[in-house]
Amino acid sequence: MSVINAKPAEVWFIVGSQHLYGPEALRQVDEHAKEVAAALDSSDAVPAKVKWLPVLTGPDEIRKTILAANADPNCVGLVAWMHTFSPAKMWIGGLTALDKPLLHLHTQYGAALPWSTIDMDFMNLHQSAHGGREFGHICARLNVPRKVVVGHWQNADVQAQVGAWTRAAMARADLRSAKIARIGDNMREVAVTEGDKVSAQIALGVSVNGYGLGDVVKFVNEASDAEIDKLCGVYDDAYELAAELRSGGAKHESLREAARIEIGLRAFLQDGGFVGFTDTFENLHGLRQLPGLPTQRLMADGYGFGAEGDWKAAALTRAAKVMADGLPGGTSFMEDYTYDMAGDPMQCLGAHMLEICPTIAAGRPSCEVHPLGIGGKEDPVRLVFDAPAGPAVNVTIVDLGHRFRMVLNEVEVAAPPEPLPKLPVARAVWQPLPDLATAAAGWIYAGGSHHPTFSQALSTEHFEDFAEMIDCELVVIDGDTRLRNLRRELRQDNAAF
């Protein structure tokens, strides 16, 4: 029951030239552009439709095309290719009006030069080498945010870079109309989960509003026995259901209550058109248990989530869900919980009380019920599992008062060194890169939250593209990070902003 927006996303493929070359050359430019656009459109790496547009040769048609792209809700961004030399003053009117992400594809039609037959006609037609530099100059002078991809358009690596950018553009478009429901406000006295929601809507587009728990409980109470019976059957089919939760088991009523909450919470979100939500264990009046299993399943369907009122985590997790749609690997709300400082390398055990998305499960999750030491409610139902080994990223977005900052740490997920029979929550064990000491210090210097978005589907490149599109500072902590350099980068960013 995915809630990732299924509307047809398009990337407009625009190619620049000029009338100087004459109609025959421009006809060939159009034919080549159609072929390149078709190749990107058919590539498995590019998740949106790539729409070819006729060659642009003058300032009026350039501006008209870009304004049309701005106004088209299906257009998530533009890929520009300068097939020949396109004098860049023609692009000023269009680029100054651009309100969609831009990718500059610096390629040429043929991969190899025909050395034995090359002549000036060939040279005049295949001028991407310096046409792209002219376009790059005006983009730099106008300070136009963009991604530059260099290489032949048939190369898998080039198509992968275009695909990563396209996913980020789709997430940016989704975020601009995203609605997050903050149910029950913030965990009291916590700083990092707070923030300026007005600034977030201005800068990021996401709309965040608060709702009382009673707004949700109304829908929960309307869930019918038939709906609950059906959903309990879904649980039984999808998970390894603990014996006590099965029909006739001692805790079966707990499973039914989890189903009731999921039905009601899902109905509340659908009724309000929300794509993400938060809750907090300090505000549960009217619910018999903390929504563990319901939240896990809603995240698996594409909803963003943030615990303890963390609406920025909900928004970023939603954006990551959109970027990762269709890719192998999972994406989840996460929390840096505790460390193993005795091991070599030192590792972090990530988890939360309940709410980790089962898309990151290594196998079939176990559905269990256990006491929860905080919240003062009935024992909640939850999915228990481990994340699979492999590379991943942890990413957070924080409000620094006068700007937003994104912090990313590349990590290597490992299997737990021993079984965890007394830890009945979903979890992931990882080694932060370059090492825990450097990564944790860097994260803390940058002011990163303890609520990252964890993804084994996305890479640093996706978030670099996304941060560029939403004009957000990005601090990357990876295998090459040195604290001295990172602290210098943070000082420079503070001065720049």
Side-chain angles (χ1 to χ4, degrees):
M1 200 181 297
S2 174
V3 293
I4 302 299
N5 199 335
K7 72 179 182 181
E10 293 180 348
V11 169
W12 287 15
F13 188 84
I14 57 176
V15 59
S17 188
Q18 59 179 322
H19 288 293
L20 177 68
Y21 298 108
E24 176 57 25
L26 293 179
R27 183 188 63 78
Q28 291 182 70
V29 168
D30 258 342
E31 289 177 354
H32 292 171
K34 283 181 183 178
E35 190 174 342
V36 175
L40 295 176
D41 182 59
S42 62
S43 171
D44 292 338
V46 182
K49 175 179 174 58
V50 179
K51 178 180 176 181
W52 165 84
L53 275 76
V55 60
L56 300 174
T57 56
D60 291 340
E61 61 189 15
I62 290 172
R63 181 173 172 83
K64 182 179 179 181
T65 298
I66 288 178
L67 290 176
N70 289 345
D72 192 320
N74 293 335
C75 176
V76 299
L78 295 92
V79 173
W81 174 34
M82 301 303 112
H83 187 302
T84 58
F85 191 80
S86 182
K89 286 178 64 178
M90 297 193 306
W91 288 86
I92 293 174
L95 290 175
T96 53
L98 180 64
D99 189 39
K100 294 287 174 80
L102 175 67
L103 183 145
H104 178 189
L105 179 59
H106 190 53
T107 189
Q108 64 184 27
Y109 178 68
L113 289 178
W115 296 103
S116 63
T117 60
I118 191 169
D119 56 18
M120 284 310 300
D121 287 339
F122 181 95
M123 297 282 277
N124 284 333
L125 184 62
H126 299 86
Q127 295 195 47
S128 297
H130 70 290
R133 283 166 168 77
E134 169 78 353
F135 185 71
H137 166 74
I138 202 61
C139 287
R141 182 162 180 176
L142 296 174
N143 198 27
V144 176
R146 78 270 192 208
K147 178 175 187 173
V148 179
V149 176
V150 180
H152 195 257
W153 50 277
Q154 290 178 318
N155 289 351
D157 179 62
V158 168
Q159 294 181 6
Q161 291 179 68
V162 174
W165 172 88
T166 302
R167 290 181 175 279
M170 293 168 71
R172 183 254 194 189
D174 179 83
L175 198 64
R176 283 203 155 190
S177 61
K179 294 170 61 180
I180 305 293
R182 199 181 194 200
I183 303 165
D185 199 49
N186 190 52
M187 181 180 173
R188 299 171 196 127
E189 306 295 345
V190 177
V192 76
T193 53
E194 285 285 12
D196 188 334
K197 295 190 287 292
V198 175
S199 293
Q201 189 161 356
I202 293 169
L204 312 177
V206 61
S207 170
V208 183
N209 286 294
Y211 293 84
L213 197 60
D215 296 322
V216 178
V217 170
K218 171 182 177 292
F219 287 91
V220 172
N221 291 339
E222 291 174 353
S224 69
D225 287 341
E227 291 175 306
I228 293 170
D229 290 342
K230 182 177 179 180
L231 188 52
C232 286
V234 171
Y235 297 159
D236 198 10
D237 291 338
Y239 315 119
E240 294 294 337
L241 210 58
E244 59 186 343
L245 291 177
R246 296 184 182 277
S247 180
K251 293 282 189 175
H252 182 63
E253 186 55 37
S254 295
L255 186 72
R256 293 183 60 80
E257 187 60 26
R260 187 189 308 277
I261 294 172
E262 179 180 336
I263 292 164
L265 183 52
R266 190 182 294 273
F268 166 78
L269 296 171
Q270 291 174 343
D271 183 71
F274 302 111
V275 297
F277 68 102
T278 71
D279 62 19
T280 173
F281 62 89
E282 288 183 317
N283 292 288
L284 291 176
H285 183 71
L287 293 182
R288 288 169 50 187
Q289 59 180 253
L290 180 64
L293 175 62
T295 299
Q296 292 178 292
R297 285 175 48 80
L298 286 164
M299 255 195 293
D301 288 339
Y303 286 97
F305 173 74
E308 290 104 46
D310 195 343
W311 53 269
K312 297 184 296 299
L316 187 60
T317 301
R318 166 62 182 188
K321 289 283 188 182
V322 173
M323 279 192 279
D325 188 40
L327 292 177
T331 299
S332 178
F333 167 82
M334 185 58 74
E335 181 167 282
D336 304 78
Y337 226 104
T338 191
Y339 295 135
D340 178 12
M341 289 185 162
D344 184 17
M346 293 189 290
Q347 295 177 315
C348 180
L349 173 57
H352 203 254
M353 293 183 294
L354 303 172
E355 308 97 340
I356 302 299
C357 180
T359 60
I360 71 167
R364 183 178 167 92
S366 173
C367 187
E368 304 175 13
V369 59
H370 299 276
L372 189 66
I374 55 178
K377 291 291 180 177
E378 295 178 6
D379 300 347
V381 179
R382 81 289 302 271
L383 299 177
V384 179
F385 53 83
D386 293 306
V393 292
N394 277 319
V395 195
T396 185
I397 189 166
V398 293
D399 187 347
L400 297 181
H402 60 295
R403 72 184 191 273
F404 291 94
R405 170 183 283 167
M406 200 178 300
V407 186
L408 180 148
N409 184 202
E410 296 180 357
V411 304
E412 286 290 336
V413 181
E418 297 180 30
L420 298 162
K422 295 186 177 181
L423 185 65
V425 293
R427 59 261 169 160
V429 177
W430 63 77
Q431 176 201 347
L433 299 181
D435 54 72
L436 190 146
T438 302
W443 191 277
I444 289 168
Y445 277 124
S449 170
H450 60 283
H451 284 167
T453 296
F454 170 92
S455 182
Q456 293 182 296
L458 300 172
S459 67
T460 301
E461 182 180 9
H462 292 96
F463 287 97
E464 286 176 327
D465 292 344
F466 182 62
E468 179 79 27
M469 290 175 190
I470 63 174
D471 193 24
C472 183
E473 175 191 3
L474 174 64
V475 177
V476 175
I477 303 169
D478 59 15
D480 296 325
T481 295
R482 298 295 178 267
L483 273 181
R484 182 181 295 113
N485 297 337
L486 179 67
R487 296 185 71 184
R488 184 183 300 116
E489 176 188 340
L490 293 173
R491 287 193 293 269
Q492 291 170 345
D493 285 356
N494 287 335
F497 283 94

